[in-house]
Amino acid sequence: MQNNKIVVAYSGGLDTSVMVKWLSKKYNAEIITVTGNLGQKSELINLEEKALSTGASKAYIVNLQKEFIEDYAWKALKGGALYEGEYPLATAIGRPLLAKLMVEIAQKEGANMVAHGCTGKGNDQVRFEVGMKTLDPNLEILAPLREWEFKSREEEIEYAKANDIPVSAKLEKLYSIDENIWGIATECGILEDTSQAPPDDAYQMTINPKNAPQESVVIKITFEKGIPTKIDGVEMPGTQLVSTLNDIGGKHGIGRLDIIENRVVGIKSREVYEAPGAMILHEAHRQLEKLTLDKDTFRYKQNASNTYANLIYDGFWFTPLFDSLTAFFDKVQERVTGEVTLELYKGTIKILSRISENSLYSQELATYTEEDAFNHKDAEGFINITSLPHQVITRHTKNKFVVVKS
Ligand code: ARG
């Protein structure tokens, strides 16, 4: 008789395969594996078979791609969420969705424990566990990689052999890779040396911009209330739209990032990302916001975006502040409708045109020709009043910025 039922977040790689057996022995447990399909290409083949032959009693593989794009990626896009100004958060937005899936299946199956295969120094353990604890504080969470006896991949492979666990892992694995439809994250190996440029084999979704076609490509993206709906006038579902942009962008070397980032636990890490679709959409979306949002809203949103990105990175998706900021962004996005035309060329994205029924650009006000409708005289009073507090300071105290030279 088994005492425990554990739902395991499963990828089919070496760690989670070993974990299934290790947990079932250690906790005398029935194991149910759960895999969320977020558009990772390589990892899903024969997964159910693999899980069952490793000792799981049941293997869930759930296609979450639509939900991932519509409820997670679109929020990040509308919120302008780029962590530390750059990283489009592909891995980070996937974790809360997987945490939710784990909790739903644990509750449905009546499991008393959940387990994941994240390491003890990364962000993903935090995101997973903060997410799961927030959604169901009663579940016991296990993180075997933080406590088990194996000190290397070799030892895990030994254990796998001894326990008839089918693993295809090679001893040398060049990189640690996390993949979904919003982007790929790659670290470890030579990438740990920050003085070295990433070798070409660290990339799989994008071509080296140097080798990209000599001919640029022009694409038009239509947004409705901040959500991209069409490419070149053709309406398509979000998942298809993102993967189309991944293909086109990848061919032109778009969306490669090489970043040093601050992890939640305080470590700095070097990560290489590929996110052609996400980077194209962020750029197009930002350009449309510049056309359609008033100055104060645009400026305020920049700060809110930074907070939003930090919340996502740190795993605080299911929280009141995240919800409130989401409502703010949704309100702001009511104006962000229109078309943006971009040119992709050897790793660069250039804006060619932006059009919107909600455009706040007035050529009459902007022009320097005789059509100019701006009253230049108004500027004088404006400058007097906006500088008034500072004039008062100088009248009452010595101005520390002016040094009279004798
Ligand atoms: N640094 C990224 C993040 O925290 C990606 C983490 C997973 N990366 C990996 N290569 N396995 O969101």
Side-chain angles (χ1 to χ4, degrees), residues 20-147:
V20 168
K21 185 65 91 199
W22 189 87
L23 285 169
S24 74
K25 283 188 175 173
K26 173 154 181 182
Y27 292 92
N28 185 23
E30 177 188 345
I31 306 288
I32 295 167
T33 64
V34 173
T35 310
N37 175 0
L38 304 183
Q40 63 274 41
K41 297 226 165 62
S42 45
E43 292 173 358
L44 294 168
I45 306 150
N46 299 333
L47 208 61
E48 182 177 3
E49 207 186 305
K50 213 164 162 183
L52 297 179
S53 64
T54 309
S57 65
K58 210 174 196 180
Y60 283 88
I61 299 169
V62 187
N63 188 351
L64 297 171
Q65 291 187 74
K66 182 174 181 314
E67 193 178 353
F68 179 56
I69 289 299
E70 292 175 4
D71 294 348
Y72 290 75
W74 286 171
K75 283 200 175 91
L77 178 66
K78 289 190 281 184
L82 296 169
Y83 180 63
E84 295 183 341
E86 294 180 273
Y87 162 44
L89 293 160
T91 298
I93 59 173
R95 298 305 171 195
L97 175 54
L98 293 174
K100 183 162 86 74
L101 176 70
M102 293 283 289
V103 168
E104 281 163 0
I105 292 178
Q107 290 180 350
K108 180 171 141 201
E109 294 285 346
N112 57 327
M113 294 166 159
V114 289
H116 64 74
C118 306
T119 73
K121 60 202 270 186
N123 299 319
D124 289 327
Q125 55 171 350
V126 179
R127 297 170 184 147
F128 249 130
E129 293 185 38
V130 169
M132 292 193 291
K133 277 182 197 287
T134 304
L135 296 173
D136 186 349
N138 294 324
L139 281 172
E140 188 177 338
I141 301 175
L142 306 170
L145 270 74
R146 291 202 296 246
E147 50 160 319

Side-chain angles (χ1 to χ4, degrees), residues 214-225:
Q214 287 298 337
E215 290 291 307
S216 65
V217 65
V218 172
I219 47 169
K220 186 175 78 185
I221 303 172
T222 306
F223 289 86
E224 275 162 39
K225 298 192 171 159

Side-chain angles (χ1 to χ4, degrees), residues 86 124 158 171 173 194 211 237 283 322 325 331 353 363:
E86 294 180 273
D124 289 327
E158 277 309 306
L171 259 182
K173 195 175 147 224
T194 61
N211 306 326
E283 178 57 13
F322 184 82
L325 287 174
K331 181 71 194 160
S353 140
Q363 197 162 359

Side-chain angles (χ1 to χ4, degrees), residues 227-334:
I227 292 173
T229 53
K230 295 179 191 168
I231 298 176
D232 294 334
V234 181
E235 189 149 359
M236 55 184 89
T239 49
Q240 190 191 338
L241 188 136
V242 174
S243 49
T244 302
L245 292 177
N246 281 338
D247 287 347
I248 304 174
K251 286 196 185 90
H252 288 269
I254 307 291
R256 286 186 170 192
L257 300 165
D258 172 2
I259 299 177
I260 308 283
E261 72 193 36
N262 291 297
R263 280 196 194 163
V264 183
V265 297
I267 301 172
K268 281 194 190 295
S269 68
R270 197 270 192 101
E271 190 109 36
V272 162
Y273 297 104
E274 293 174 274
M279 296 313 280
I280 292 169
L281 288 172
H282 269 290
E283 178 57 13
H285 181 258
R286 196 176 65 94
Q287 295 289 349
L288 194 56
E289 286 190 329
K290 286 186 169 240
L291 188 68
T292 55
L293 302 186
D294 64 283
K295 180 179 78 180
D296 289 332
T297 304
F298 186 84
R299 287 184 175 182
Y300 188 85
K301 197 200 156 200
Q302 287 183 300
N303 295 329
S305 292
N306 198 32
T307 304
Y308 206 52
N310 289 341
L311 287 172
I312 295 173
Y313 192 85
D314 292 352
F316 295 120
W317 189 277
F318 302 110
T319 63
L321 181 56
F322 184 82
D323 264 355
S324 306
L325 287 174
T326 302
F328 164 72
F329 292 127
D330 280 342
K331 181 71 194 160
V332 170
Q333 295 306 305
E334 286 175 5

